[in-house]
Amino acid sequence: MDIEAFFGVPFSHVGASKKPKPHRECKNCSCVSIYLSASCAWSSILTTDCHSKKAILVNDVSTLRRHIDAHHRAQYHQWALANNVESRLPSDILKRKEADANAKLAQQTLDAHLRTETPKERVYRYSEAIFRRAVIEWLICTDQPLSAVEHPKFKEMIKIAAAATQGVEIPSRKVARAEIMRLFNDQMKGLRDKLTVRPLAHFVDMCTC
């Protein structure tokens, strides 16, 4: 896109190599300069002082952009701004790379000074009013029946927690689920054991009659 904006269409041109190669003509300068290859130095443009013809350069993207970078940088920046495109000039690319490197270095320096603080555990103070409010909020938020506070298991849970001297670790949802499954399996195993033993005992009683 930028090449077409600053140079004409490619055409065959015979240079010093005596072989035809694709070239382009610069639309913005009026000096004679023929680049025979992409590695040709910029000095040929700088030392040429002719105003009768436009610059003719080898049709190589890197060569053409270096020409723009050396002689038409201001016009290129205006064009890039008007067309909302990022500059592809070598000097601008180098500046962006240096800026990115400096930003990464600054971030690494900042990361080295950052440290993660472990959140402090909240310490609760006890009073009858605070405990009563916590129970009421628990009933409302979990949609419990009012009779839940009178359930023997609820009272047992509160008494066990009150006996703790170093706080209580409330089980997570995953831990609670695993514990429920363990209790269920224990109950099923106990039930199977009872069903297995009773017929055998009854059979022994019948044999001893």
Side-chain angles (χ1 to χ4, degrees):
M1 185 176 179
D2 56 348
I3 299 301
E4 284 71 17
F6 283 82
F7 296 91
V9 297
F11 62 94
S12 180
H13 180 78
V14 179
S17 64
K18 305 302 180 180
K19 295 181 180 180
K21 292 184 178 181
H23 286 66
R24 284 181 185 262
E25 190 176 84
C26 180
K27 299 178 181 179
N28 293 275
C29 65
S30 58
C31 64
V32 177
S33 178
I34 300 178
Y35 275 33
L36 299 180
S37 67
S39 61
C40 192
W42 297 352
S43 59
S44 58
I45 292 180
L46 300 176
T47 57
T48 302
D49 185 18
C50 177
H51 304 282
S52 59
K53 296 181 180 179
K54 293 184 178 181
I56 300 174
L57 300 96
V58 171
N59 187 27
D60 175 78
V61 173
S62 298
T63 300
L64 298 176
R65 284 178 177 155
R66 285 201 300 266
H67 172 80
I68 299 174
D69 201 2
H71 298 279
H72 313 296
R73 187 182 297 112
Q75 296 95 315
Y76 185 94
H77 289 162
Q78 292 177 0
W79 171 86
L81 182 63
N83 290 272
N84 194 28
V85 297
E86 187 179 54
S87 172
R88 301 300 300 167
L89 298 182
S91 61
D92 294 331
I93 294 176
L94 180 60
K95 289 178 181 178
R96 287 198 296 269
K97 289 182 178 180
E98 291 177 349
D100 291 342
N102 292 334
K104 290 180 180 179
L105 180 61
Q107 184 63 43
Q108 291 174 357
T109 304
L110 178 62
D111 292 342
H113 291 83
L114 294 178
R115 59 182 180 181
T116 303
E117 293 187 358
T118 304
K120 296 180 179 179
E121 185 178 358
R122 183 178 176 182
V123 178
Y124 293 90
R125 60 187 182 89
Y126 176 82
S127 71
E128 290 293 337
I130 294 176
F131 179 73
R132 189 182 303 113
R133 182 180 180 84
V135 171
I136 298 303
E137 290 179 351
W138 173 75
L139 287 171
I140 296 172
C141 294
T142 59
D143 197 22
Q144 297 289 337
L146 296 178
S147 59
V149 297
E150 298 176 350
H151 196 282
K153 285 298 180 181
F154 177 81
K155 294 180 179 180
E156 180 184 356
M157 177 181 65
I158 296 301
K159 290 179 181 180
I160 293 174
T165 58
Q166 296 181 348
V168 177
E169 183 178 351
I170 301 175
S172 64
R173 181 188 308 179
K174 184 178 180 180
V175 173
R177 179 180 181 277
E179 186 65 16
I180 291 172
M181 294 301 297
R182 187 187 67 79
L183 291 174
F184 174 77
N185 291 332
D186 290 346
Q187 291 288 342
M188 294 300 295
K189 183 177 183 300
L191 181 60
R192 285 195 300 268
D193 293 342
K194 289 181 180 180
L195 294 176
T196 303
V197 171
R198 284 182 179 178
L200 180 61
H202 181 67
F203 177 76
V204 172
D205 292 340
M206 291 179 62
C207 292
T208 56
C209 292

